[in-house]
Amino acid sequence: MKKILVLIILVLLGACVGSNKSSAQQNPRERVSIDFDWKFSLGDIENASQEQFNDADWRHLDVPHDWSIEGEYNENNPAGIAGAYLPTGIGWYRKNIEIENLEKDDKYFVEFDGVYMNSDVYINGNHLGKRPYGYISFSYDLTPYLKEGTNKLAVRVDNSKSPSGRWYTGSGIYRHVWLTKTSTIYIPQWGTAITTSNISDSSADIKINGDIKNDAKKDQVVDVISIIYDATNIAIDSTKSTVQINKDGSFEQSITVNNPKLWSPDSPNMYNLKTKLLVNGILIDTYTTPFGIRSIELNIDKGFLLNGEPIKFKGLSNHHDAGPVGAAVPDDLLYSRLKLLKDMGCNALRTTHNPFSPEFYALCDTLGIMVMDEAFDGWFTKKAEYDYGIYFKEWWKRDLKDFVKRDRNHPSVVMWSVGNEVRGFKAEDQKEIVSYLKTIDSSRPVTQGRGHFAPYVDITGFNGHGEQKGVLEKFHKENPDKLIIGTEMTHTLQTRGVYRTKTWYRTKDNPAPWEKPADFKRFESKVYKIPDLTEKEVFPGITKKYQSSYDNSIVRIGVRDDWNRVEALDYYVGNFRWTGFDYLGESFGWPARTANFGIIDLAGFPKDHYYLYQSLWSDKPMVHMLPHWTHPGYEGVEIPVVVYTNCESAELFLNGKSLGEKNITSERQIVWQVPYKSGELKVVAKNNSKPVVEQIYNSAEIGTKVQLKADKVTVKPNKTDVIQIEVAIVDSKNVIVPEGDNFVEFEISGPAKLLGVENGDILDLAPHKVMSRKAFKGKCLLLIQSTDEGGEIEVKASSQGLQESVLSVLSK
Ligand code: GAL
């Protein structure tokens, strides 16, 4: 698994570096990470852009960095509900760029994958440019201002006007930074566009369009050689053409690949295109573009066709933050999160509501996850007080162009989305934005979250509104030639380890700040009702801020009903639930810091809904039951035991005695009412009456120790690898205590640093960058990262009254 990540990083580096092994000539292009050794200071600082400015007393750190997540939750922070009550503000970053052997024919570029937001970049005191949009990738040409030796790069980041989004945004240089060197004739950043067509088992046509920049300021004849490599790095085909360039030029080439290995979520086959530029036989650039071969077709009778076959989107919407690291998500952690979703059977993600990091798309390519790539939330009318709506008019074309050029070669990107619940838009706006996008890439369908008010998208996106009874059917009747995609369905709310046996509807039982319980009356008849599991609430007295982990806490439709709709309607091609992971912000009010929409909590621990989706989406036999089986004081009380499985039937056993076998039906869950008795609860799932897979819960006794489990035994001393440590409160037989809420303290020794702590409790406002955390529902998470030294990393966890635990991981 780790191999995939390493490969991706190499591909990303190689996306530009690439060495020409077959020839003695070195590729003049170099691309290096400049993530390490920055200086940082919070606040606006006069003259901090200047070369001679003294930053000796500034903090030393590496990027990706997010200063908001380092702060404290405070009700008075201007980010408010939207931004999870975390601090925002202005920050400055400075870094030395060492240039050796500066040649007159060298070009240098600094590339930012993302800076939130309103960045101003300077080199040696010279202003290079400004980018308001905090999610866009951008670069600057440093060449005119560089000198041999030390150069000063300075970045001012302004997220002081807050809230600048409807969710937690993070603040700072929260993605990677790169330095690229080329010669004066080169392929510019994102300068290639690859499209594939006429795809069959025996062949596929590959069309390559590329740009060439000529800063040599004289006419040139350039040979362009394009070579396609398969996933094992064997060159399988090539082509050559010659272009005459004056200022800037372009080229177009075609190659036919025989017996292509197509890209799909089940077989994410990738290829690399290496484009070499030569002048008078001398290699002047090699540019590598990873790509995949696959076809997309919208067919009103069959749905969304990938490589000619209908495929339903088993999708999730996610924001870009990742619990205790905020918006600065290490690649290693991003990989684990995507892998967790893939293991659930998820085949698609929506980048709500903005461009994600380049690494995200590269990982989706290799893991096999389709992406609905979303450019914006709103357009000309702002949705949060100081969001991108303020800059939209001036910037949207530039940002949309850069976004599409950056992501257009990823096979995982199967659809663009131009916006989400855009306020006050006119059909003409949609037409203009979609048409402009199509001038840059016309090879994919375009949609829009809740974009059904205008006809200029290829596939109609429905958000929560489409969850109501009859809405999709009505739209289909009126627009029989349009496919529908659930750009944001289903909305359910759940807190890990919390159970309620009576059904809750958000508007009625726990209204969001913008809802009135009385509104429920108006749309009650359109809600897909879920029967209560019991007549009287079995688990009363739980705070309203927590939601039930049975599939019975919904806004308008439950997961099971919605998935039944997806399967029943050919024109409904699947959906993107709201959301995969819990995200910071957009809570229902202080002191909650998230709204609990995720099926995985802020610590990355799956809630029961994760397994519900797995039972619907994955073919690998699985079974999961809920709730846990530790309910002291409930002896004799009937507790609904719910089972999710993708097998045909399941049999439940309490302390060895069968409570009967039941088949899975369109209810998509099996329920037993079980009078509580402590001991062992076991479920056995069967196919053809034969046991296939089982799960056992034991009742926990009193917690006696802290248990540590790391996701890896070794890391590399590379300052990037992350160790995720699950911390659990367990009894003497190592059974997790489901209500365990002990305060745990950590000590780390050896070559690792703290990245953050988290427990998934939406009401726990403890800071993340400290060496302690309270457990929530038996567990919390400790994240640490390797340094640049090797050696043994030792983590100790202790808690008053409990036996401590020690764990070691080797950095080598
Ligand atoms: C949707 C919106 C999402 C999120 C969600 C919460 O209307 O598109 O961004 O706000 O509501 O329910």
Side-chain angles (χ1 to χ4, degrees):
M1 285 308 115
K2 194 74 208 207
K3 248 180 167 170
I4 297 182
L5 186 65
V6 170
L7 246 166
I8 284 163
I9 292 167
L10 285 177
V11 167
L12 281 166
L13 284 165
C16 296
V17 174
S19 66
N20 179 14
K21 288 202 183 106
S22 59
S23 127
Q25 292 177 12
Q26 275 291 310
N27 178 15
R29 178 181 288 264
E30 287 172 37
R31 191 182 196 231
V32 292
S33 162
I34 50 167
D35 281 353
F36 301 149
D37 301 322
W38 288 75
K39 289 304 211 63
F40 171 72
S41 182
L42 206 52
D44 209 2
I45 294 158
E46 218 180 323
N47 297 327
S49 64
Q50 296 307 305
E51 192 182 345
Q52 303 309 330
F53 180 85
N54 183 353
D55 55 24
D57 59 349
W58 284 21
R59 182 175 152 200
H60 178 253
L61 52 70
D62 301 327
V63 302
H65 170 245
D66 170 7
W67 79 72
S68 291
I69 199 70
E70 297 176 343
E72 295 200 354
Y73 294 97
N74 185 324
E75 199 179 356
N76 298 320
N77 276 331
I81 290 187
Y85 307 101
L86 283 163
T88 44
I90 296 176
W92 275 93
Y93 295 83
R94 284 170 59 87
K95 174 163 178 65
N96 288 349
I97 307 279
E98 303 297 338
I99 303 288
E100 284 167 21
N101 306 323
L102 186 63
E103 304 277 343
K104 81 169 180 12
D105 283 344
D106 290 341
K107 300 267 323 174
Y108 285 87
F109 301 89
V110 62
E111 298 167 2
F112 291 88
D113 286 351
V115 180
Y116 200 89
M117 66 182 287
N118 275 317
S119 61
D120 280 285
V121 181
Y122 303 82
I123 187 80
N124 299 331
N126 300 286
H127 188 231
L128 296 171
K130 182 178 191 72
R131 288 307 280 245
Y133 199 24
Y135 302 105
I136 204 74
S137 300
F138 56 91
S139 69
Y140 294 111
D141 184 355
L142 301 177
T143 322
Y145 314 104
L146 283 185
K147 53 182 190 193
E148 183 105 16
T150 304
N151 296 266
K152 284 281 179 187
L153 185 66
V155 184
R156 179 180 185 269
V157 184
D158 185 352
N159 189 19
S160 59
K161 291 202 178 113
S162 191
S164 62
R166 295 186 303 108
W167 53 86
Y168 174 79
T169 60
S171 309
I173 304 181
Y174 69 104
R175 291 184 188 157
H176 297 303
V177 192
W178 308 90
L179 184 68
T180 288
K181 179 182 163 196
T182 67
S183 53
T184 43
I185 298 171
Y186 58 99
I187 295 182
Q189 189 182 32
W190 315 315
T192 53
I194 300 175
T195 46
T196 58
S197 60
N198 300 325
I199 298 167
S200 69
D201 285 349
S202 54
S203 70
D205 293 342
I206 316 296
K207 195 171 139 210
I208 306 153
N209 282 89
D211 297 331
I212 301 174
K213 291 282 283 178
N214 177 8
D215 291 342
K217 295 192 175 72
K218 53 179 185 220
D219 288 359
Q220 296 283 358
V221 176
V222 180
D223 290 327
V224 183
I225 302 176
S226 284
I227 311 165
I228 293 180
Y229 291 80
D230 71 8
T232 60
N233 212 18
I234 293 178
I236 54 169
D237 227 320
S238 65
T239 187
K240 182 179 169 185
S241 52
T242 301
V243 284
Q244 171 89 42
I245 55 170
N246 167 305
K247 176 77 182 119
D248 299 333
S250 63
F251 61 92
E252 186 174 319
Q253 296 175 319
S254 300
I255 303 184
T256 299
V257 169
N258 292 324
N259 306 317
K261 289 204 168 84
L262 305 193
W263 185 95
S264 74
D266 287 340
S267 50
N269 296 305
M270 292 294 293
Y271 291 86
N272 275 313
L273 174 80
K274 279 192 190 164
T275 309
K276 294 173 189 279
L277 304 185
L278 292 95
V279 171
N280 298 326
I282 296 174
L283 181 71
I284 50 165
D285 198 7
T286 305
Y287 188 91
T288 305
T289 314
F291 73 102
I293 302 173
R294 49 118 184 88
S295 69
I296 293 169
E297 196 190 320
L298 303 183
N299 180 307
I300 192 60
D301 299 316
K302 297 186 191 153
F304 185 97
L305 308 185
L306 185 71
N307 301 327
E309 296 292 326
I311 187 166
K312 295 274 187 180
F313 285 81
K314 300 170 174 175
L316 304 163
S317 299
N318 275 323
H319 278 305
H320 68 315
D321 61 315
V325 296
V329 189
D331 297 343
D332 204 5
L333 185 62
L334 178 65
Y335 168 75
S336 312
R337 286 164 72 88
L338 296 181
K339 183 70 177 47
L340 187 63
L341 301 180
K342 181 80 184 170
D343 289 346
M344 186 181 75
C346 156
N347 69 8
L349 293 172
R350 173 191 185 205
T351 64
T352 40
H353 301 297
N354 43 257
F356 277 19
S357 67
E359 296 70 32
F360 167 84
Y361 303 91
L363 282 166
C364 288
D365 284 347
T366 48
L367 281 169
I369 298 177
M370 297 184 286
V371 177
M372 175 193 288
D373 207 2
E374 191 153 272
F376 309 116
D377 189 27
W379 295 341
F380 299 96
T381 307
K382 64 185 180 183
K383 294 172 76 178
E385 193 55 28
Y386 300 104
D387 74 10
Y388 179 66
I390 303 174
Y391 309 98
F392 193 81
K393 196 161 176 244
E394 187 186 344
W395 282 92
W396 75 266
K397 276 198 173 162
R398 173 79 196 270
D399 286 334
L400 189 63
K401 187 174 180 184
D402 286 351
F403 160 70
V404 173
K405 285 181 79 172
R406 188 195 68 167
D407 294 347
R408 64 187 164 182
N409 294 316
H410 290 284
S412 58
V413 176
V414 297
M415 199 182 296
W416 304 111
S417 166
V418 285
N420 171 62
E421 299 190 352
V422 177
R423 274 197 202 141
F425 78 93
K426 298 187 280 303
E428 286 310 302
D429 299 336
Q430 190 189 58
K431 185 179 178 187
E432 188 186 3
I433 292 170
V434 172
S435 318
Y436 181 69
L437 189 156
K438 289 195 173 179
T439 62
I440 312 156
D441 177 63
S442 59
S443 71
R444 294 164 173 89
V446 180
T447 191
Q448 182 182 328
R450 202 175 192 220
H452 58 280
F453 302 114
Y456 299 104
V457 286
D458 303 301
I459 175 162
T460 307
F462 275 87
N463 280 13
H465 168 68
E467 293 175 354
Q468 300 177 64
K469 272 187 187 160
V471 167
L472 302 188
E473 290 82 351
K474 182 166 178 279
F475 180 86
H476 177 64
K477 222 168 156 197
E478 290 163 4
N479 304 274
D481 58 340
K482 282 275 183 186
L483 291 176
I484 290 174
I485 188 155
T487 33
E488 201 173 303
M489 296 195 248
T490 310
H491 292 75
T492 64
L493 298 130
Q494 46 279 314
T495 308
R496 177 174 59 82
V498 168
Y499 302 93
R500 233 179 236 122
T501 57
K502 293 189 67 92
T503 305
W504 275 37
Y505 303 92
R506 183 182 75 186
T507 315
K508 179 162 77 70
D509 297 300
N510 188 26
W514 59 89
E515 288 174 320
K516 287 194 220 70
D519 294 343
F520 189 68
K521 284 266 173 306
R522 272 194 293 117
F523 81 103
E524 189 171 3
S525 63
K526 295 189 179 160
V527 170
Y528 284 77
K529 293 275 178 60
I530 296 178
D532 292 330
L533 285 163
T534 58
E535 222 172 277
K536 193 166 159 254
E537 179 55 60
V538 171
F539 302 111
I542 298 161
T543 168
K544 274 196 158 195
K545 305 258 183 217
Y546 293 157
Q547 306 294 331
S548 170
S549 285
Y550 290 114
D551 185 28
N552 64 358
S553 179
I554 67 167
V555 183
R556 306 164 197 94
I557 192 171
V559 171
R560 293 166 295 134
D561 284 323
D562 193 31
W563 196 248
N564 280 340
R565 288 196 315 179
V566 172
E567 288 192 337
L569 308 175
D570 286 336
Y571 59 82
Y572 180 22
V573 301
N575 57 24
F576 292 84
R577 78 151 276 122
W578 190 261
T579 54
F581 286 89
D582 271 340
Y583 56 97
L584 287 168
E586 217 189 19
S587 76
F588 293 167
W590 181 262
R593 58 198 169 113
T594 168
N596 251 329
F597 282 112
I599 53 173
I600 301 169
D601 74 12
L602 283 170
F605 299 137
K607 307 178 190 177
D608 294 293
H609 266 55
Y610 175 91
Y611 302 99
L612 169 55
Y613 275 101
Q614 196 170 47
S615 74
L616 299 172
W617 287 356
S618 166
D619 293 332
K620 191 169 163 222
M622 59 73 62
V623 68
H624 177 78
M625 61 183 165
L626 59 150
H628 58 78
W629 206 240
T630 304
H631 304 280
Y634 273 74
E635 283 69 18
V637 175
E638 279 197 348
I639 294 179
V641 173
V642 170
V643 166
Y644 303 136
T645 182
N646 50 11
C647 298
E648 290 163 8
S649 64
E651 187 172 3
L652 193 69
F653 298 86
L654 179 60
N655 294 326
K657 187 170 165 283
S658 172
L659 302 181
E661 183 174 336
K662 299 187 188 190
N663 289 334
I664 193 98
T665 65
S666 58
E667 280 291 302
R668 307 290 198 159
Q669 65 179 21
I670 311 177
V671 185
W672 283 263
Q673 299 291 345
V674 184
Y676 181 69
K677 194 169 189 307
S678 68
E680 182 196 86
L681 187 69
K682 176 163 103 171
V683 64
V684 179
K686 302 180 186 181
N687 279 335
N688 294 321
S689 306
K690 291 205 186 68
V692 180
V693 56
E694 65 175 44
Q695 189 182 42
I696 294 177
Y697 287 160
N698 283 295
S699 305
E701 287 159 13
I702 189 152
T704 57
K705 61 179 175 191
V706 187
Q707 186 187 68
L708 297 178
K709 274 191 193 154
D711 68 334
K712 24 182 109 71
V713 286
T714 59
V715 284
K716 291 212 159 30
N718 56 8
K719 287 176 121 187
T720 55
D721 280 6
V722 175
I723 309 165
Q724 297 182 64
I725 302 171
E726 181 185 297
V727 183
I729 309 301
V730 297
D731 71 5
S732 59
K733 295 189 190 113
N734 294 329
V735 178
I736 294 184
V737 181
E739 294 300 327
D741 61 357
N742 309 56
F743 182 76
V744 186
E745 290 178 279
F746 305 109
E747 278 170 48
I748 303 170
S749 56
K753 67 163 195 187
L754 173 77
L755 264 190
V757 289
E758 177 57 79
N759 61 13
D761 181 1
I762 65 169
L763 301 177
D764 188 338
L765 302 178
H768 297 283
K769 308 285 176 182
V770 294
M771 296 289 275
S772 60
R773 190 72 178 193
K774 214 172 164 228
F776 176 65
K777 303 289 173 195
K779 293 202 265 190
C780 62
L781 172 83
L782 169 67
L783 280 183
I784 61 177
Q785 189 166 46
S786 67
T787 63
D788 51 5
E789 282 170 32
E792 188 169 314
I793 301 164
E794 200 177 79
V795 176
K796 190 157 97 180
S798 52
S799 181
Q800 209 176 13
L802 300 183
Q803 192 185 321
E804 68 181 28
S805 235
V806 178
L807 171 143
S808 50
V809 173
L810 198 60
S811 181
K812 60 171 189 177

